[in-house]
Amino acid sequence: MSSRAVRPEATPAARPATAAASRTSRGRRGALAERNPSRRAAVTPARPVVLLKSAAPFRLASRESHPESTIVAAGDVSIGGGTLVVMAGPCSIESRQQIRETARRVKAAGADMLRGGAYKPRTSPYDFQGLGRKALEWLAEAGRETGLPVVTEVLSPEDVELVSEHADLLQVGARNMQNYALLRRLATVTKPVLLKRGPSATIQEWLLAAEYLLSGGNLQVVLCERGIRTFETATRNTLDLAGVALVKQLTHLPVIVDPSHGTGKRALVAPASRAAAAIGADGLLIEVHPCPGRALSDGEQSLDPGEFAALMRTLRPRPFAARA
Ligand code: PEP
Ligand code: MN
């Protein structure tokens, strides 16, 4: 949010003037002061610069315009309603059996939604690009079998219709955060959108990207912090958790955290998940693979089902009575 430094209209005494104007002004003031001596005291030095808080440029996303938190419905799951929503599944859908098994395991561990990529945005054109339409169908099937709503990425405007038919939540990946043709198309669908923060996007750019969806008519928007690029290379990205807390204050939209891409390291996913929950995230997007060592993408940051179940127990300890 920006503030403008505003210097109030300078008083006649403070305004620089040409010699002639200055004479005229002095003459007029002098005449006024003679007629009304109290006017002399009114001619004071310029007032100091004052800071006026200007309205946020992301008008519809801003909490000023909409103080109550928005709750987004993805299938029968509410995001932003005060409980931590956990979305879990593989980076890429690799086979029918892989996504069905993952769905069953993450559901058993307590996940609320199933994730899986059918269209993959890969840095290298030589890397696995996803299995497309058939993977979408397997994802939808695995979601139906387990009762988990599904989230998957849509890469281009031409795929929006097809992906909307199969997914409950449409993911805009980090690389596409400022793909305005895609955002404009997604603004017209009836499915909610998960908008990831771009790797080099400022918070304002991220919220203005959300504004494309909102102003185009889609009010069902969930934001996802997934790490940004900094000088640090020890982690894949730098997870901006303070940014999550800030965005929760600036906007009314739910904000979730992706600790998998945010750290790039399996051993950091659990602590980053707990930190995200502690700072007020509305949910988590976690990569889980039945055998991370054999994953076709992002295996090094994927949990296996046992590790995911262990994390879930620390995120949602069962009530004391139920544990006995
Ligand atoms: C993903 O969720 O698998 C993904 C590609 O994420 P991001 O767009 O954040 O890199
Ligand atoms: Mn991934």
Side-chain angles (χ1 to χ4, degrees):
M1 189 181 311
S2 63
S3 294
R4 275 180 301 128
V6 176
R7 187 177 294 283
E9 182 67 14
T11 63
R15 192 183 293 137
T18 61
S22 175
R23 259 195 314 277
T24 318
S25 156
R26 250 198 314 274
R28 213 181 284 135
R29 279 204 315 276
L32 277 170
E34 270 159 34
R35 277 204 299 271
N36 179 3
S38 67
R39 291 303 286 260
R40 195 184 297 276
V43 183
T44 51
R47 278 172 282 156
V49 168
V50 289
L51 288 176
L52 293 182
K53 211 158 110 192
S54 66
F58 38 89
R59 299 177 205 173
L60 299 173
S62 110
R63 211 178 256 285
E64 277 167 16
S65 70
H66 188 290
E68 321 81 59
S69 295
T70 287
I71 299 178
V72 172
D76 59 3
V77 169
S78 296
I79 309 166
T83 55
L84 187 75
V85 172
V86 180
M87 310 173 191
C91 177
S92 300
I93 299 159
E94 298 167 4
S95 69
R96 182 171 181 225
Q97 196 252 331
Q98 175 241 22
I99 190 65
R100 290 173 83 194
E101 180 186 343
T102 313
R104 196 172 44 75
R105 302 288 298 272
V106 299
K107 165 81 179 189
D112 304 290
M113 290 181 63
L114 177 65
R115 68 147 284 155
Y119 297 92
K120 295 304 302 175
R122 303 307 301 280
T123 303
S124 165
Y126 306 117
D127 287 340
F128 178 63
Q129 302 287 310
L131 297 177
R133 181 192 285 259
K134 66 177 185 253
L136 269 185
E137 288 164 6
W138 295 334
L139 176 69
E141 176 190 47
R144 279 192 302 274
E145 280 175 2
T146 50
L148 297 174
V150 301
V151 52
T152 195
E153 177 160 357
V154 55
L155 272 184
S156 59
E158 309 87 78
D159 297 332
V160 167
E161 196 174 336
L162 176 68
V163 178
S164 307
E165 282 166 20
H166 293 91
D168 298 290
L169 179 61
L170 306 174
Q171 176 173 322
V172 175
R175 295 160 181 82
N176 263 329
M177 188 202 85
Q178 288 179 312
N179 179 339
Y180 299 118
L182 179 62
L183 296 176
R184 284 210 173 89
R185 179 72 185 83
L186 287 168
T188 66
V189 302
T190 53
K191 291 282 168 81
V193 175
L194 178 66
L195 180 63
K196 286 194 155 195
R197 180 179 182 180
S200 305
T202 63
I203 284 174
Q204 180 156 310
E205 286 162 347
W206 186 19
L207 299 181
L208 285 170
E211 202 71 14
Y212 271 84
L213 297 165
L214 300 171
S215 63
N218 192 340
L219 303 178
Q220 297 281 289
V221 177
V222 179
L223 299 167
C224 179
E225 161 62 33
R226 47 76 75 202
I228 50 174
R229 178 166 291 189
T230 67
F231 56 81
E232 182 56 78
T233 54
T235 46
R236 182 177 179 183
N237 290 292
T238 296
L239 190 60
D240 184 10
L241 288 181
V244 171
L246 176 59
V247 170
K248 296 256 323 158
Q249 290 171 10
L250 293 177
T251 84
H252 53 88
L253 300 173
V255 186
I256 71 164
V257 168
D258 172 349
S260 308
H261 294 86
T263 64
K265 290 187 186 313
R266 181 175 312 128
L268 297 179
V269 170
S273 297
R274 288 188 285 270
I279 211 157
D282 295 294
L284 296 167
L285 182 68
I286 302 177
E287 288 186 337
V288 179
H289 191 284
C291 181
R294 288 215 290 270
L296 296 183
S297 59
D298 287 348
E300 60 296 341
Q301 65 191 33
S302 300
L303 302 183
D304 68 28
E307 290 165 332
F308 177 68
L311 166 60
M312 289 298 282
R313 286 192 291 275
T314 70
L315 288 174
R316 292 174 178 159
R318 276 187 277 154
F320 191 65
R323 238 183 281 160

